[in-house]
Amino acid sequence: MNPEKFSTITAALLSSSAASLKQEVLKVATINDLFELANRVEDARICFKASWALEHILLSEKKLLLSYATPSIEAFLKNSNWSALRSITKLIMELLSLNYPLTQEQEEMIINKTYDILEDSECPIAVRCNGYDILYYLSVKHYWLIDELKNKMQLDIEKNQSAALVSRSKSIYKKLKRISNS
């Protein structure tokens, strides 16, 4: 991306609110531009804002999200910025909830990346909770994940009794119980 375009897009990203994102940012940037910026982990603030913009834009239109499934998955797999991953994991959760058809390789990479995230002691609670949901959606097809996910959530709750972690875990336990009883 040329420096002038980068400056124009970053100015729009940094000055836009969630309500004006679509109108302002998409005047100067394409969704592909936002993915490029979301993968710039060396510039944490821009990486976060681009990911946040993608979350708000793509989750507002499911068809749009589905058409950008591959770049969403790639951004998830490449990204290491916790703030950006908070938004990107929401995109992955939504794709999985919509039963987006993943290849076996994509499933394996998403499972591995999610476990890497959950194993990181620095992982923020919101990203951790989204990781639980990602594994839940994949456990519908990969039953071996059910017990693994239950154990992981139990260990995490023993370490951190945050309300968000406990609440999300209880919700996922209930869903997992329905899967394992069917």
Side-chain angles (χ1 to χ4, degrees):
M1 179 178 303
N2 73 47
E4 186 178 318
K5 185 172 187 176
F6 177 79
S7 293
T8 303
I9 295 171
T10 56
L13 280 171
L14 297 174
S15 65
S16 296
S17 66
S20 67
L21 254 178
K22 205 167 189 179
Q23 297 85 7
E24 298 305 314
V25 173
L26 291 180
K27 285 180 187 174
V28 296
T30 66
I31 292 176
N32 287 327
D33 291 334
L34 294 174
F35 274 111
E36 183 179 334
L37 294 174
N39 288 319
R40 275 192 178 199
V41 293
E42 70 277 0
D43 190 342
R45 188 170 182 211
I46 296 304
C47 176
F48 158 67
K49 285 296 268 191
S51 301
W52 181 74
L54 285 166
E55 172 193 349
H56 286 274
I57 293 166
L58 296 178
L59 291 182
S60 70
E61 294 181 43
K62 304 303 184 220
K63 285 184 180 179
L64 192 58
L65 172 62
L66 291 170
S67 66
Y68 285 94
T70 298
S72 297
I73 293 165
E74 289 170 357
F76 173 68
L77 297 172
K78 291 178 187 174
N79 215 299
S80 60
N81 177 306
W82 292 124
S83 298
L85 279 168
R86 181 177 183 159
S87 294
I88 295 169
T89 53
K90 289 180 186 178
L91 298 177
I92 301 303
M93 286 167 46
E94 189 62 26
L95 283 170
L96 294 172
S97 77
L98 295 170
N99 293 314
Y100 179 78
L102 298 171
T103 66
Q104 183 176 348
E105 182 182 17
Q106 287 172 322
E107 288 176 1
E108 289 173 9
M109 290 188 301
I110 291 170
I111 290 168
N112 289 334
K113 172 70 176 198
T114 305
Y115 269 104
D116 288 346
I117 287 170
L118 294 176
E119 289 301 315
D120 192 320
S121 62
E122 300 296 313
C123 180
I125 298 297
V127 177
R128 186 171 297 281
C129 290
N130 293 347
Y132 294 164
D133 273 305
I134 290 169
L135 292 178
Y136 159 72
Y137 285 116
L138 291 168
S139 71
V140 174
K141 184 175 177 183
H142 302 280
Y143 292 119
W144 63 269
L145 282 172
I146 294 172
D147 287 334
E148 295 285 330
L149 180 54
K150 286 178 183 177
N151 291 335
K152 183 65 186 147
M153 290 187 302
Q154 185 60 42
L155 285 171
D156 287 347
I157 290 171
E158 288 173 10
K159 292 178 189 173
N160 186 336
Q161 289 278 327
S162 81
L165 199 65
V166 171
S167 174
R168 186 75 68 94
S169 295
K170 282 182 182 179
S171 171
I172 293 173
Y173 275 125
K174 287 179 187 174
K175 293 181 206 176
L176 289 170
K177 188 172 184 178
R178 278 183 254 145
I179 292 172
S180 56
N181 287 339
S182 54

